[in-house]
Amino acid sequence: MRIVALDLHPPDAFVQTRCHRVVTGDISDIALLDNLAATYDFDAVYHLAALLSTKSERQPRLANKVNVDGTINLLEFTVSQARQQGRAIKFLYPSSIAVHGLPDLATKARAGKVCEDDWCEPTTMYGINKLYCERLGRYYETYYRQLDAAPTVGGIDFRCIRFPGLISALTVPTGGTSDYAPEMLHAAASGRSYACFVRPDTTIPFMAMPDAIEALSRLEAVPRERLSRKVYSIGSFAPSAAQIYDRVKQAFPMADVKFVPDLKRQGIVDSWPVDVDDSAARRDWGWEPVFDFDRAFDDYLIPAVNKRYRQPPGR
Ligand code: SER
């Protein structure tokens, strides 16, 4: 497999060694995308670029430009690839729990694990962008330019996963609202104090990054006829912020974490479901996380952050 990577910033040296070519650029740059489309035949497009939910609230027009226009640019890019190659090209799109919007905590508690089609009333610019782009994917696959004399159908094979909050041992996200979990962990591991911006009882689903990566490549590999939907929710574990704190404190007893809720960011997390029903993904393409809450911390996050911040375990 040869990967052509496009990002605003060059990736680290290890990632570069895994790529056939690294291009530094912007998905808003149509000339750049045209140039790439003319140079290569792509089997699949993974569209991972986005402004996350907190940043999108602060800059909604920029969010629309990156999250929506950027997605349209890549969908058009994929249509042109399909024409060039005379076959359907896969388009992998990560969406988010942020497409859901629960009106209040009582409803959130009552709703429990939400299915893909429930509570799709996002309250954030990011959630609205993601929900719209899911629907654009369906449009480009099935209805694109439906009034043309010879419509271009079948050009895009759109596959989407709605991810919960992702926790990586290697990178700290920026601009998200589920960031309190990775921020708390990385702050504790690197000996910094941390003010957690949500209440201890706050609960949303999370996932360890290796499971998220595995899910995308598994969804890419599955034969189309096994997929009953274009958009799948997946989950792994759904701890409260207090449970995350307890786990972090267990690994780093010196951790200095305080809960200082930011009521506005709290409101965003409170509108997201307590967990997701991922039975469609389990049934259709065998989704199953490797990492539950304990394994995510014991076997992945704690050893890797210890290595990253060069501290012996348990300090
Ligand atoms: N992690 C995202 C955010 O916090 C949600 O998908 O914005």
Side-chain angles (χ1 to χ4, degrees):
M1 180 174 44
R2 294 192 306 166
I3 296 172
V4 176
L6 169 62
D7 199 359
L8 289 175
H9 309 289
D12 65 33
F14 173 72
V15 172
Q16 292 202 22
T17 63
R18 307 289 295 268
C19 297
H20 171 68
R21 186 174 158 205
V22 166
V23 180
T24 305
D26 190 330
I27 54 168
S28 303
D29 183 349
I30 291 173
L32 172 64
L33 296 179
D34 286 348
N35 194 283
L36 287 174
T39 310
Y40 299 102
D41 280 344
F42 290 91
D43 294 319
V45 174
Y46 278 64
H47 168 27
L48 307 177
L51 250 64
L52 295 179
S53 54
T54 291
K55 181 128 192 235
S56 295
E57 284 314 299
R58 298 200 167 123
Q59 293 179 281
R61 291 185 65 147
L62 180 64
N64 201 71
K65 180 165 178 270
V66 175
N67 296 350
V68 175
D69 295 345
T71 301
I72 292 188
N73 292 346
L74 286 168
L75 287 165
E76 292 282 342
F77 168 92
T78 309
V79 168
S80 81
Q81 278 287 306
R83 287 205 182 114
Q84 189 169 299
Q85 300 184 46
R87 64 186 177 116
I89 305 298
K90 290 174 187 166
F91 190 99
L92 275 295
Y93 183 64
S95 184
S96 163
I97 47 166
V99 302
H100 298 291
L102 288 301
D104 51 60
L105 283 174
T107 312
K108 172 169 166 156
R110 250 195 330 272
K113 289 186 171 197
V114 301
C115 294
E116 281 90 347
D117 299 328
D118 293 340
W119 299 105
C120 289
E121 298 288 342
T123 64
T124 61
M125 186 65 180
Y126 173 74
I128 291 165
N129 292 165
K130 286 288 183 189
L131 188 60
Y132 176 59
C133 288
E134 291 179 359
R135 288 171 183 181
L136 278 178
R138 177 165 178 266
Y139 169 76
Y140 269 78
E141 179 170 320
T142 311
Y143 301 105
Y144 181 64
R145 298 185 62 128
Q146 55 194 298
L147 299 182
D148 284 4
T152 310
V153 287
I156 291 192
D157 179 349
F158 182 82
R159 302 175 179 209
C160 169
I161 293 178
R162 285 186 192 152
F163 286 112
L166 299 179
I167 315 181
S168 166
L170 303 178
T171 55
V172 190
T174 48
T177 320
S178 61
D179 292 4
Y180 60 90
E183 283 175 358
M184 195 189 297
L185 170 70
H186 284 263
S190 60
R192 285 175 292 115
S193 57
Y194 183 63
C196 179
F197 58 82
V198 294
R199 292 183 317 267
D201 65 290
T202 306
T203 306
I204 57 167
F206 283 97
M207 180 177 293
M209 188 60 89
D211 271 331
I213 296 166
E214 171 60 25
L216 277 175
S217 56
R218 188 179 279 215
L219 181 60
E220 185 201 333
V222 73
R224 179 83 226 178
E225 57 276 12
R226 285 194 25 212
L227 302 179
S228 63
R229 326 177 40 92
K230 296 191 197 309
V231 175
Y232 290 91
S233 291
I234 59 173
S236 293
F237 44 88
S240 65
Q243 286 171 313
I244 297 170
Y245 169 76
D246 288 345
R247 203 55 201 74
V248 165
K249 194 79 180 166
Q250 190 183 322
F252 302 100
M254 303 295 286
D256 176 20
V257 177
K258 288 185 187 55
F259 285 86
V260 187
D262 168 335
L263 293 185
K264 291 180 178 155
R265 292 180 91 189
Q266 178 77 57
I268 291 178
V269 188
D270 285 345
S271 79
W272 294 346
V274 80
D275 203 354
V276 291
D277 179 334
D278 58 7
S279 49
R282 287 175 186 266
R283 188 185 58 236
D284 287 3
W285 47 277
W287 157 248
E288 196 176 356
V290 170
F291 296 102
D292 61 15
F293 186 50
D294 285 335
R295 272 197 82 181
F297 276 84
D298 293 343
D299 297 355
Y300 166 60
L301 293 169
I302 301 296
V305 292
N306 271 321
K307 195 161 156 214
R308 177 178 165 166
Y309 297 107
R310 294 177 200 290
Q311 291 185 4
R315 271 212 45 224

